[in-house]
Structures are given as structure tokens and as C-alpha cells.
Amino acid sequence: MFRHTKLLQFEAKPERPDPVYARKLQELIGGAYGEMTVTMQYLFQGWNCRMEGKYKDLIMDTATEEIGHVEMLATMVARLLEGAPSTVTAEAVKDPVMAAVIGGMDPQQAIVAGGGAMPQNSQGVPWIGSYIVASGNLLADFRANAAAEAQGRLQTARLYNMTDDPGVKEMLRFNLARDTVHQKQWLAAIEELEADGLEETPIAPNALLDEEDQVHNNTIWHLSDGPDGASGGWSKGKNSIEYLMDPEPLGGPGTAPKPDPALYGTYSAVKDAAGTVKGKAKQAKKKLT
């Protein structure tokens, strides 16, 4: 059961309308790392958690807080859109049509939402459920949570520097603080999972380690022009990862099978055979050198 109170978690009052900034703020609502994402991510993690107790309670507490963050931001967007597009537009672009064309307010905020926020990002792309991570493995999920909060805080920090409105900045300072503590809590929860003997770091999941290919579980393949990867600390010391500077492909030609004639894929048995022979000859030559 969820219960709603009319009071916002933190105040959301801009000093003045700004439809251009309202569109930018949509990223924190419906972007890949916006509040809708972490809301649904934490809700499904909590619903899918198989253990009652502190971990599930932490997830659900945070999930419910994030619902309130969506409400705060939606309220701020609506207030930033006050009077737009009929009477007020951003200082940078006076004409509402031109504002929409060159990066002003999202026309759908007026046409579809009646001057309110939308479940979409700053480019008008609708929020989608595939943004969320809820695997049932708390170690993997908490790492994803810390990363999501880091990306969300990064975008909030960028947006903080894109406005001089005192009311907007005050709300964003609160959001920055909450993103900070949420990162800290997920990192602390990861440590506690290990302390409680529920998961072992650093690998998630801590399973099938004896079944995996032992030759390839501690190597980094040098596959770019950048020469300095091997100079990192990860390739030195007691727990170093071997850096393969000239790795060779381990498989044969990546040839797709003969197409179904009913699908009309372009195909020639003769050319297919010739290409396969050529690829195998090249592979054999590399093995000899």
C-alpha cells in the first residue's frame, strides 16, 4: 500500500517561469538516469527481494522517496511553464515556435500535458521500463543503484550550473544531497552483504567460478590503438590482471548460415565456399607465423 501526502518532500518554487529550462529539467524526470528510473528500479528490486528485513526495507524506503522526487520535479516543471507559451517565454528566445525549434520548451508540454511535466526526457523521448535494473541479486543490483545515483547526480550538477534561478537552485541543492547519500548507502549496503555472508565481492554472482574458462578469467585484451592500458595499476601487483598486448582471435570466420530461400537473402553457394576457404587459409597462416 502506498499513501500520498500533499506536502512535497522539499519546496519546488522557481522565482520566475522559464519554459526552456523546464524542458531541460525533463531529463531528471524521464531520462535514463532520471527519478522515474530509480523509482521503478528500486520498487521492482524491493518487490523481487526474497528476504524480509533490513535490505528490503532500505530498498523500499528509498523507492518511495524517489516517487516524491518525481513529484517535486513535476511540480517545478509546471511552475516553470507558467504562462507559456501564450504569455511568457524564455529570455533567450521570445517566439514560442522558434523556441521549440531551437531548443526551447517541448511543445508536448503545452499540447499534451496542458502546461505540465511529461514522462519523458529532455528530447521528448518517452521513459521506458528497459532503463531499470532489478535482477534479484542484491550485489549486482546495489552496484547498478550506486552507478544510477552517480549518473543522476552528475546530470543534476550540470543542470545546477545551467540556471541562476534561486528557487530552482535551492531544490537542486537538496537533490544533490540526496543523490550523495544514496550513493553512500548503496556502497555501504554492498559491504554489509559481504559482512553478512550473503554475497562475496568483487565478482557477482559468486558462482560458477570453478566452471568458467580458467585461461580467460584474468586477461585484458589490447584491442585498441591506445597504448597505455597496460600501465594501469590493474596489471601490476598481487592481484594483477594480465594484459595481452597481441591477442589472437580464437574462433573461425563469422559466417551466417545459408538463408531460407523464402526470405530472399542475397546468396551464392560458390562465393560462400570461396570466402570460407579464404578465411580459413588466412586463419591457418596466422597460426603459423
Side-chain angles (χ1 to χ4, degrees):
M1 180 179 76
F2 290 89
R3 188 185 299 273
H4 177 258
T5 179
K6 292 180 181 295
L7 301 178
L8 296 175
Q9 186 183 9
F10 193 84
E11 193 56 84
K13 284 186 178 179
E15 187 173 279
R16 60 192 177 278
D18 186 345
V20 173
Y21 193 79
R23 179 173 184 172
K24 295 176 182 178
L25 210 55
Q26 282 283 163
E27 195 65 34
L28 297 188
I29 296 177
Y33 298 104
E35 301 291 357
M36 288 184 64
T37 293
V38 287
T39 293
M40 299 307 296
Q41 180 157 308
Y42 302 161
L43 284 174
F44 275 92
Q45 287 179 6
W47 293 330
N48 292 341
C49 183
R50 298 299 196 266
M51 299 180 300
E52 294 296 331
K54 60 185 177 182
Y55 294 108
K56 184 167 185 172
D57 290 353
L58 175 66
I59 298 168
M60 293 304 297
D61 282 340
T62 313
T64 309
E65 177 183 354
E66 301 293 6
I67 300 174
H69 291 183
V70 177
E71 183 180 32
M72 283 165 48
L73 286 162
T75 302
M76 180 65 82
V77 166
R79 290 170 175 172
L80 286 166
L81 289 170
E82 183 182 356
S86 58
T87 60
V88 180
T89 60
E91 286 299 313
V93 258
K94 299 296 185 181
D95 182 271
V97 176
M98 288 304 297
V101 171
I102 67 171
M105 71 173 289
D106 186 340
Q108 285 202 336
Q109 290 174 326
I111 299 168
V112 179
M118 301 280 292
Q120 60 191 34
N121 69 13
S122 55
Q123 291 297 312
V125 178
W127 183 86
I128 53 175
S130 59
Y131 288 157
I132 76 168
V133 175
S135 70
N137 180 282
L138 294 184
L139 176 56
D141 283 352
F142 289 173
R143 283 179 170 166
N145 295 352
E149 295 287 351
Q151 292 292 338
R153 193 178 191 281
L154 175 62
Q155 293 180 359
T156 302
R158 288 169 173 166
L159 281 160
Y160 182 83
N161 290 324
M162 293 179 186
T163 181
D164 59 0
D165 187 300
V168 176
K169 278 186 171 289
E170 186 177 7
M171 186 197 72
L172 292 181
R173 279 194 289 269
F174 177 80
N175 288 17
L176 287 167
R178 300 310 297 165
D179 288 346
T180 292
V181 73
H182 289 164
Q183 288 185 60
K184 291 193 292 186
Q185 78 180 41
W186 296 127
L187 294 173
I190 289 170
E191 293 181 1
E192 192 139 340
L193 283 172
E194 184 168 28
D196 287 344
L198 294 172
E199 296 287 346
E200 292 184 26
T201 60
I203 306 302
N206 185 40
L208 301 180
L209 296 176
D210 56 341
E211 294 288 332
E212 68 189 21
D213 190 326
Q214 301 299 307
V215 175
H216 299 290
N217 65 0
N218 200 50
T219 57
I220 299 172
W221 288 26
H222 173 62
L223 293 172
S224 73
D225 290 339
D228 297 327
S231 66
W234 45 81
S235 62
K236 299 178 177 62
K238 180 181 177 182
N239 297 315
S240 64
I241 304 173
E242 181 186 2
Y243 224 99
L244 297 181
M245 297 307 295
D246 190 23
E248 294 289 340
L250 303 175
T255 305
K258 179 181 177 181
D260 182 338
L263 299 180
Y264 306 109
T266 302
Y267 180 73
S268 166
V270 174
K271 290 189 178 296
D272 184 31
T276 301
V277 170
K278 185 177 179 181
K280 289 182 176 178
K282 185 176 181 180
Q283 183 184 28
K285 184 178 179 182
K286 290 198 76 172
K287 286 183 178 180
L288 292 174
T289 57

Coordinates of all heavy atoms in Angstrom, one line a residue, residues 187-226:
L187 N 26.7 1.8 -1.5 CA 28.1 1.3 -1.3 C 28.2 0.6 0.1 O 28.9 -0.4 0.2 CB 29.1 2.4 -1.5 CG 29.2 3.0 -2.9 CD1 30.1 4.2 -2.9 CD2 29.6 2.0 -3.9
A188 N 27.6 1.2 1.1 CA 27.6 0.6 2.4 C 26.9 -0.7 2.5 O 27.3 -1.7 3.1 CB 27.1 1.6 3.5
A189 N 25.8 -0.8 1.7 CA 25.0 -2.0 1.7 C 25.7 -3.1 1.0 O 25.6 -4.3 1.4 CB 23.6 -1.7 1.0
I190 N 26.5 -2.8 0.0 CA 27.4 -3.8 -0.6 C 28.3 -4.4 0.4 O 28.5 -5.6 0.4 CB 28.1 -3.2 -1.8 CG1 27.2 -2.9 -3.0 CG2 29.2 -4.1 -2.3 CD1 27.8 -2.1 -4.1
E191 N 29.0 -3.6 1.2 CA 29.9 -4.1 2.2 C 29.2 -4.9 3.2 O 29.7 -6.0 3.7 CB 30.6 -2.9 2.9 CG 31.5 -2.1 2.1 CD 32.2 -0.9 2.8 OE1 31.9 -0.8 4.0 OE2 33.0 -0.2 2.2
E192 N 27.9 -4.6 3.6 CA 27.2 -5.3 4.5 C 26.7 -6.7 4.0 O 26.7 -7.7 4.7 CB 26.0 -4.5 5.0 CG 25.3 -5.1 6.3 CD 24.9 -4.1 7.3 OE1 25.4 -3.0 7.2 OE2 24.0 -4.4 8.1
L193 N 26.4 -6.7 2.7 CA 26.1 -8.0 2.1 C 27.3 -9.0 2.3 O 27.0 -10.2 2.6 CB 25.9 -7.9 0.6 CG 24.5 -7.3 0.2 CD1 24.5 -7.0 -1.3 CD2 23.4 -8.2 0.5
E194 N 28.5 -8.5 2.2 CA 29.6 -9.4 2.3 C 29.8 -9.7 3.8 O 30.1 -10.9 4.2 CB 30.9 -8.7 1.8 CG 32.1 -9.6 1.9 CD 33.3 -9.1 1.1 OE1 33.4 -7.9 0.9 OE2 34.1 -9.9 0.6
A195 N 29.7 -8.7 4.7 CA 29.8 -9.0 6.1 C 28.8 -10.0 6.6 O 29.1 -10.8 7.5 CB 29.7 -7.7 6.9
D196 N 27.6 -10.0 6.1 CA 26.5 -10.9 6.5 C 26.7 -12.3 5.8 O 25.9 -13.2 6.1 CB 25.2 -10.3 6.1 CG 24.8 -9.2 7.0 OD1 25.4 -9.0 8.1 OD2 23.8 -8.4 6.7
G197 N 27.7 -12.4 4.9 CA 27.9 -13.7 4.3 C 26.9 -14.0 3.2 O 26.8 -15.2 2.8
L198 N 26.2 -13.0 2.7 CA 25.2 -13.2 1.7 C 25.8 -13.2 0.3 O 25.3 -13.9 -0.6 CB 24.1 -12.2 1.8 CG 23.2 -12.3 3.1 CD1 22.3 -11.1 3.2 CD2 22.4 -13.6 3.1
E199 N 26.7 -12.3 0.1 CA 27.4 -12.2 -1.2 C 28.9 -12.0 -1.0 O 29.3 -11.4 0.1 CB 26.9 -11.1 -2.1 CG 25.4 -11.2 -2.5 CD 25.2 -12.3 -3.6 OE1 26.2 -12.7 -4.2 OE2 24.0 -12.6 -3.8
E200 N 29.7 -12.4 -1.9 CA 31.2 -12.2 -1.8 C 31.6 -11.3 -3.0 O 31.2 -11.5 -4.1 CB 31.9 -13.5 -1.9 CG 31.8 -14.4 -0.7 CD 32.6 -15.6 -0.7 OE1 33.7 -15.6 -1.4 OE2 32.2 -16.6 -0.1
T201 N 32.3 -10.2 -2.6 CA 32.8 -9.3 -3.6 C 34.2 -9.8 -4.0 O 34.8 -10.5 -3.3 CB 32.9 -7.9 -3.1 OG1 33.7 -7.8 -1.9 CG2 31.5 -7.4 -2.7
P202 N 34.8 -9.4 -5.2 CA 34.2 -8.4 -6.0 C 33.3 -8.9 -7.2 O 32.7 -8.1 -7.9 CB 35.4 -7.7 -6.6 CG 36.4 -8.8 -6.7 CD 36.1 -9.7 -5.5
I203 N 33.2 -10.2 -7.4 CA 32.6 -10.8 -8.5 C 31.1 -11.1 -8.2 O 30.8 -11.7 -7.2 CB 33.3 -12.1 -9.0 CG1 34.7 -11.8 -9.3 CG2 32.6 -12.6 -10.3 CD1 35.0 -10.7 -10.3
A204 N 30.2 -10.7 -9.1 CA 28.8 -11.0 -8.9 C 28.3 -11.8 -10.2 O 28.6 -11.3 -11.3 CB 28.0 -9.7 -8.8
P205 N 27.6 -12.9 -10.0 CA 27.4 -13.6 -8.7 C 28.6 -14.4 -8.4 O 29.4 -14.8 -9.3 CB 26.2 -14.5 -9.0 CG 26.3 -14.8 -10.4 CD 26.9 -13.6 -11.1
N206 N 28.8 -14.7 -7.1 CA 29.9 -15.5 -6.7 C 29.6 -17.0 -6.9 O 29.4 -17.8 -6.0 CB 30.3 -15.2 -5.2 CG 31.5 -16.0 -4.7 OD1 32.5 -16.1 -5.5 ND2 31.4 -16.5 -3.5
A207 N 29.5 -17.4 -8.2 CA 29.1 -18.7 -8.5 C 29.7 -19.1 -9.8 O 30.1 -18.3 -10.6 CB 27.6 -18.8 -8.7
L208 N 29.9 -20.4 -10.1 CA 30.5 -21.0 -11.3 C 31.9 -20.5 -11.6 O 32.4 -20.6 -12.7 CB 29.6 -20.7 -12.5 CG 28.1 -21.2 -12.4 CD1 27.4 -20.8 -13.7 CD2 28.1 -22.7 -12.2
L209 N 32.6 -20.0 -10.5 CA 34.0 -19.6 -10.7 C 34.9 -20.7 -11.1 O 35.9 -20.5 -11.8 CB 34.5 -18.9 -9.5 CG 33.7 -17.6 -9.1 CD1 34.3 -17.0 -7.8 CD2 33.8 -16.6 -10.2
D210 N 34.6 -21.9 -10.6 CA 35.4 -23.1 -11.0 C 35.0 -23.7 -12.3 O 35.7 -24.5 -12.9 CB 35.3 -24.2 -9.9 CG 33.9 -24.6 -9.6 OD1 32.9 -23.8 -10.0 OD2 33.7 -25.7 -9.0
E211 N 33.8 -23.3 -12.8 CA 33.3 -23.8 -14.1 C 33.8 -22.9 -15.3 O 33.9 -23.4 -16.4 CB 31.8 -23.9 -14.1 CG 31.2 -24.9 -13.2 CD 31.4 -26.3 -13.6 OE1 31.5 -26.5 -14.8 OE2 31.5 -27.2 -12.8
E212 N 34.0 -21.7 -15.0 CA 34.4 -20.7 -16.1 C 35.8 -21.1 -16.7 O 36.6 -21.8 -16.1 CB 34.4 -19.3 -15.6 CG 35.5 -19.0 -14.6 CD 35.3 -17.6 -14.0 OE1 34.2 -17.1 -14.0 OE2 36.3 -17.1 -13.5
D213 N 36.0 -20.7 -17.9 CA 37.3 -20.9 -18.6 C 38.4 -20.3 -17.8 O 38.5 -19.0 -17.8 CB 37.2 -20.3 -20.0 CG 38.4 -20.8 -20.9 OD1 39.5 -20.9 -20.4 OD2 38.2 -20.9 -22.1
Q214 N 39.3 -21.1 -17.2 CA 40.3 -20.5 -16.3 C 41.4 -19.8 -17.1 O 42.2 -19.0 -16.5 CB 40.9 -21.7 -15.5 CG 39.9 -22.4 -14.7 CD 39.2 -21.6 -13.6 OE1 39.9 -20.9 -12.9 NE2 37.9 -21.6 -13.6
V215 N 41.5 -20.1 -18.4 CA 42.5 -19.4 -19.2 C 42.2 -18.0 -19.4 O 43.1 -17.1 -19.6 CB 42.7 -20.2 -20.5 CG1 43.7 -19.4 -21.4 CG2 43.2 -21.6 -20.3
H216 N 40.9 -17.7 -19.5 CA 40.5 -16.3 -19.9 C 39.8 -15.5 -18.8 O 39.1 -14.5 -19.1 CB 39.5 -16.5 -21.1 CG 40.2 -17.2 -22.3 ND1 41.2 -16.6 -23.0 CD2 40.0 -18.4 -22.8 CE1 41.6 -17.4 -24.0 NE2 40.9 -18.5 -23.9
N217 N 40.0 -15.9 -17.6 CA 39.3 -15.1 -16.5 C 40.2 -14.1 -15.8 O 39.8 -13.6 -14.8 CB 38.7 -16.1 -15.5 CG 39.7 -16.9 -14.7 OD1 40.9 -16.7 -14.9 ND2 39.3 -17.7 -13.8
N218 N 41.4 -13.9 -16.4 CA 42.2 -12.9 -15.7 C 43.1 -12.2 -16.8 O 44.3 -11.9 -16.6 CB 43.1 -13.5 -14.7 CG 43.7 -12.5 -13.7 OD1 42.9 -11.7 -13.1 ND2 45.0 -12.6 -13.5
T219 N 42.5 -11.9 -18.0 CA 43.3 -11.3 -19.0 C 42.5 -10.1 -19.6 O 41.3 -10.1 -19.7 CB 43.6 -12.2 -20.2 OG1 42.4 -12.8 -20.7 CG2 44.5 -13.3 -19.7
I220 N 43.2 -9.0 -19.9 CA 42.7 -7.9 -20.7 C 43.3 -7.9 -22.1 O 44.5 -8.0 -22.2 CB 43.0 -6.5 -20.0 CG1 42.4 -6.5 -18.6 CG2 42.5 -5.4 -20.8 CD1 42.9 -5.3 -17.7
W221 N 42.4 -7.8 -23.1 CA 42.9 -7.9 -24.4 C 43.1 -6.5 -25.0 O 42.2 -5.6 -24.9 CB 41.8 -8.6 -25.3 CG 41.7 -10.1 -25.1 CD1 42.0 -10.8 -24.0 CD2 41.3 -11.0 -26.1 NE1 41.8 -12.1 -24.1 CE2 41.4 -12.3 -25.4 CE3 40.9 -11.0 -27.4 CZ2 41.0 -13.5 -26.1 CZ3 40.5 -12.2 -28.0 CH2 40.6 -13.4 -27.4
H222 N 44.3 -6.2 -25.4 CA 44.7 -4.9 -26.0 C 44.1 -4.9 -27.4 O 44.7 -5.5 -28.4 CB 46.2 -4.8 -26.0 CG 46.7 -3.6 -26.7 ND1 46.4 -2.3 -26.3 CD2 47.5 -3.4 -27.8 CE1 47.0 -1.4 -27.2 NE2 47.7 -2.1 -28.1
L223 N 43.0 -4.2 -27.6 CA 42.3 -4.3 -28.9 C 42.0 -2.9 -29.4 O 41.2 -2.7 -30.3 CB 41.0 -5.0 -28.8 CG 41.2 -6.6 -28.5 CD1 39.8 -7.2 -28.2 CD2 41.8 -7.3 -29.7
S224 N 42.7 -1.9 -28.9 CA 42.6 -0.5 -29.4 C 43.9 0.1 -29.7 O 45.0 -0.5 -29.3 CB 41.8 0.4 -28.4 OG 42.7 0.7 -27.3
D225 N 44.0 1.2 -30.4 CA 45.2 1.9 -30.7 C 45.9 2.5 -29.4 O 47.0 2.8 -29.4 CB 45.0 3.0 -31.7 CG 44.7 2.4 -33.1 OD1 45.1 1.2 -33.3 OD2 44.2 3.1 -33.9
G226 N 45.1 2.8 -28.4 CA 45.6 3.4 -27.2 C 46.6 2.5 -26.6 O 46.4 1.3 -26.3

